[in-house]
Amino acid sequence: MVFMGVDIETVVGRLLASAYSRSRMYTEREGKRLPVRWIFFRLRKYIDSFLRGNRLNRLVLVPGLRGVGKTTLLWQLYRYLVEERKVDPRNVLVVSADELKVLGFSVLDAVQAYERLLGKPLDALDRDVFVFIDEATFDPQWQLVIKSAIYDRTDRVFTLVTGSSALALRITTDLARRSVIERLFPLNYSEYLMVKYGVKPPRGFTSRLRTAVLGSKGAEEAYSRLRELSSDLLSLQVSLKGIDFKGHLEMFLKIGGLPFSALEGEEALPRVYDVVKRVLFHDLPALYGFDRETCEGAMRVLASLATSHPERVNITNLSKDIGLSRATVYSVLRALVDSELIFPVPPHVKGKALARKPRKYYFTTPTVRAAILQALGWTLDTRDALAAMLEDAVAATLHRLTYTGPLIGLHYDPQGADLVAIARTPTGPRPIPVEVGWGKKDGKQAEKTAKRLGATYAVIVDDSDAPHTLGNVVWVPKHVFLLL
Ligand SMILES: Nc1ncnc2c1ncn2[C@@H]1O[C@H](COP(=O)(O)OP(=O)(O)OP(=O)(O)O)[C@@H](O)[C@H]1O
Ligand SMILES: [Mg+2]
């Protein structure tokens, strides 16, 4: 195929030739290297292991929200390969399915052209080759291509693929068996502190905090474990120098969820809003075939979610409010979840009742809520806005833990608690009700919920300065909880 006189081999050849200078463009600002996210180290481990000859985890999928840093991550890994591991740049192909599509080419076209440029079919390779495919979801054939054009033909190619979370959701069992999924989440408070100030909590802190909050037998044990963390918290505060890490939390909620706004501050919120618009008006039409009217409906859905406190969403009412059919509202919500702008939390009920019960929806990062609110002309410093953003952050923290192991599920309690985290314990799943409050919150409601759910303790995340406990409730200060 030829596009405006350019054939795919020329395109791939140019991509290879310009890769190093592009890698610097993507990974530096004003001559300084951008910080790496934690996921960088996890992916580097897969690469190191591949370079040692271990062929097991040679296909890694990285789904994530737009603007969360996927492309930057790819180029940081590219530089690691070329600069530190001295891999010949000709053996690393970085392509974006989205950009190929604009040129009229597919991922398969690029892979085949690359093969011709390598001068050898992939199944006859005598060296290690890396293929990084950015925004793969824009190529409807991506799964097939990776499986039959790469993975099944050779074990000498390490493939790294990014895309929206549809990447992971729609994956067929065939490819699922072959791949590792490493999600790139928005930043939590501790990653924010690392990216922005280069400060990390002491070693082992996070896992001890997790054990305290989610793995204790009762409130008393949770409390005493939390107290044991106070010297770590103090040293974190000391390394932050002038920044009060409790007081700074508001700033994190507003801007901290995405790396660029974290670094640039509140002036960057309009650009976060641009990310939202790009998802709605570029991705949704391309990936779901939404027409303009549906996309505008999706914007109204987001506006409605952003301007109300996280609560269960009644589809019938929402559909009336924004003037779209129930079926369209369903598909809009699904697409917004797929693109990781929001995520659903089902109620804590058993069996058939679940299907009929409404879900709560949270923003995957409070920063997206902040950007939408600001674009709608709201002030971010009101108690209502901050309380909603805090609950987003708490829910997002717990949501992430359902992917990384400590939690089996996350629900809300139809009769009370904001959230119910289902902890994975040696003796089986255990519910922990979690209440969130911007100010100070008393324990009555949480206490009752814990009893009703048969939970040994409940957690309150609020404005407390230090952990405390009363009855079967433990209070965790919000700035501590968000380090989870
Ligand atoms: N680790 C980081 N440190 C600092 N800034 C970062 C980091 N990662 C990404 N950024 C900045 O955030 C912005 C978005 O990053 P990037 O393009 O990598 O995200 P993405 O997930 O690929 O987004 P998209 O889905 O829109 O392609 C860029 O301005 C980038 O420089
Ligand atoms: Mg990108």
Side-chain angles (χ1 to χ4, degrees):
M1 202 199 298
V2 174
F3 176 81
M4 298 202 310
V6 183
D7 62 65
I8 182 68
E9 265 156 69
T10 311
V11 170
V12 171
R14 281 184 193 159
L15 286 177
L16 289 169
S18 64
Y20 188 70
S21 63
R22 280 188 300 141
S23 79
R24 297 194 42 185
M25 205 176 78
Y26 279 109
T27 58
E28 288 174 16
R29 187 142 327 132
E30 286 152 17
K32 269 180 61 186
R33 285 214 189 194
L34 296 176
V36 295
R37 308 273 313 263
W38 282 333
I39 193 178
F40 173 86
F41 301 103
R42 288 201 298 280
L43 296 182
R44 198 177 66 178
K45 270 195 199 139
Y46 293 120
I47 287 178
D48 287 342
S49 147
F50 177 78
L51 285 171
R52 280 196 305 271
N54 184 340
R55 306 281 116 161
L56 212 53
N57 298 320
R58 62 178 198 275
L59 169 57
V60 182
L61 309 183
V62 182
L65 171 65
R66 270 204 177 269
V68 82
K70 300 179 298 292
T71 304
T72 307
L73 174 70
L74 283 190
W75 288 110
Q76 285 171 330
L77 289 165
Y78 174 91
R79 286 189 80 170
Y80 171 69
L81 282 171
V82 171
E83 291 174 351
E84 285 170 56
R85 302 307 307 258
K86 309 290 177 217
V87 172
D88 184 334
R90 280 170 303 187
N91 295 335
V92 190
L93 175 68
V94 184
V95 291
S96 153
D98 200 10
E99 283 159 22
L100 284 173
K101 194 171 162 182
V102 173
L103 297 175
F105 299 114
S106 68
V107 173
L108 182 63
D109 296 331
V111 169
Q112 288 173 339
Y114 185 43
E115 214 169 348
R116 290 192 292 273
L117 291 172
L118 283 169
K120 268 204 172 118
L122 293 186
D123 31 17
L125 280 179
D126 50 6
R127 64 204 127 141
D128 291 336
V129 164
F130 295 80
V131 176
F132 293 175
I133 304 169
D134 202 9
E135 293 301 343
T137 10
F138 281 94
D139 185 333
Q141 300 284 341
W142 71 271
Q143 292 203 39
L144 188 66
V145 175
I146 287 167
K147 180 181 170 310
S148 28
I150 305 177
Y151 194 98
D152 287 350
R153 285 179 53 211
T154 173
D155 63 5
R156 304 249 16 199
V157 177
F158 181 97
T159 318
L160 186 61
V161 184
T162 82
S164 77
S165 82
L167 187 74
L169 288 171
R170 302 279 152 66
I171 187 169
T172 62
T173 48
D174 229 16
L175 204 60
R177 244 187 311 113
R178 294 166 169 82
S179 61
V180 197
I181 297 177
E182 285 286 347
R183 289 169 186 278
L184 183 48
F185 290 101
L187 288 81
N188 71 351
Y189 197 28
S190 49
E191 201 171 12
Y192 164 82
L193 294 175
M194 180 177 91
V195 164
K196 183 142 182 167
Y197 300 111
V199 164
K200 275 187 263 188
R203 227 185 145 72
F205 171 83
T206 312
S207 79
R208 282 187 294 139
L209 179 62
R210 278 182 198 163
T211 311
V213 178
L214 304 168
S216 291
K217 288 196 202 68
E220 199 53 51
E221 187 177 47
Y223 169 67
S224 70
R225 284 172 168 170
L226 284 164
R227 278 187 47 134
E228 283 165 21
L229 294 173
S230 56
S231 64
D232 282 0
L233 289 169
L234 195 64
S235 71
L236 180 63
Q237 178 59 73
V238 169
S239 35
L240 280 167
K241 306 212 172 74
I243 296 129
D244 162 27
F245 107 94
K246 180 179 183 202
H248 194 72
L249 189 81
E250 265 180 45
M251 187 56 86
F252 161 72
L253 294 174
K254 287 188 239 170
I255 59 150
L258 297 178
F260 71 89
S261 53
L263 291 181
E264 289 165 33
E266 238 168 298
E267 301 81 58
L269 277 181
R271 275 178 60 212
V272 176
Y273 190 64
D274 288 342
V275 168
V276 174
K277 282 195 291 189
R278 191 162 160 81
V279 170
L280 293 185
F281 296 103
H282 175 80
D283 299 357
L284 299 193
L287 298 172
Y288 300 88
F290 283 5
D291 58 20
R292 183 85 198 172
E293 199 191 338
T294 310
C295 295
E296 277 159 10
M299 194 70 238
R300 291 200 294 279
V301 169
L302 279 182
S304 152
L305 294 175
T307 50
S308 39
H309 196 80
E311 57 196 20
R312 48 200 100 168
V313 170
N314 180 310
I315 305 278
T316 309
N317 293 349
L318 187 60
S319 121
K320 279 194 204 120
D321 288 350
I322 61 172
L324 291 177
S325 73
R326 279 173 53 96
T328 310
V329 171
Y330 269 115
S331 55
V332 161
L333 284 170
R334 218 181 87 165
L336 295 174
V337 169
D338 272 11
S339 50
E340 284 187 57
L341 283 169
I342 57 173
F343 65 93
V345 172
H348 187 60
V349 288
K350 292 204 180 74
K352 284 207 190 110
L354 184 65
R356 293 192 312 269
K357 290 270 188 195
R359 277 154 174 60
K360 268 174 128 173
Y361 287 89
Y362 287 96
F363 286 91
T364 43
T365 159
T367 300
V368 166
R369 183 190 292 270
I372 297 172
L373 284 177
Q374 198 197 53
L376 295 172
W378 290 48
T379 338
L380 301 180
D381 293 306
T382 63
R383 198 187 159 88
D384 283 352
L386 290 166
M389 289 192 269
L390 176 63
E391 198 172 320
D392 283 331
V394 168
T397 299
L398 295 169
H399 177 67
R400 183 164 41 85
L401 296 177
T402 66
Y403 286 104
T404 53
L407 295 182
I408 294 169
L410 180 63
H411 302 264
Y412 72 88
D413 173 19
Q415 299 176 51
D418 295 326
L419 295 158
V420 182
I422 313 293
R424 191 187 301 275
T425 76
T427 52
R430 216 172 50 194
I432 304 172
V434 179
E435 287 272 4
V436 188
W438 183 250
K440 294 245 186 351
K441 207 165 172 129
D442 77 39
K444 282 191 216 104
Q445 173 79 44
E447 176 120 35
K448 265 194 254 160
T449 312
K451 289 215 177 90
R452 187 163 39 77
L453 299 178
T456 51
Y457 64 103
V459 172
I460 291 182
V461 184
D462 74 355
D463 203 32
S464 303
D465 289 312
H468 52 109
T469 180
L470 185 69
N472 61 2
V473 179
V474 61
W475 279 258
V476 185
K478 55 187 188 312
H479 57 290
V480 176
F481 187 94
L482 294 185
L483 298 173
L484 265 181

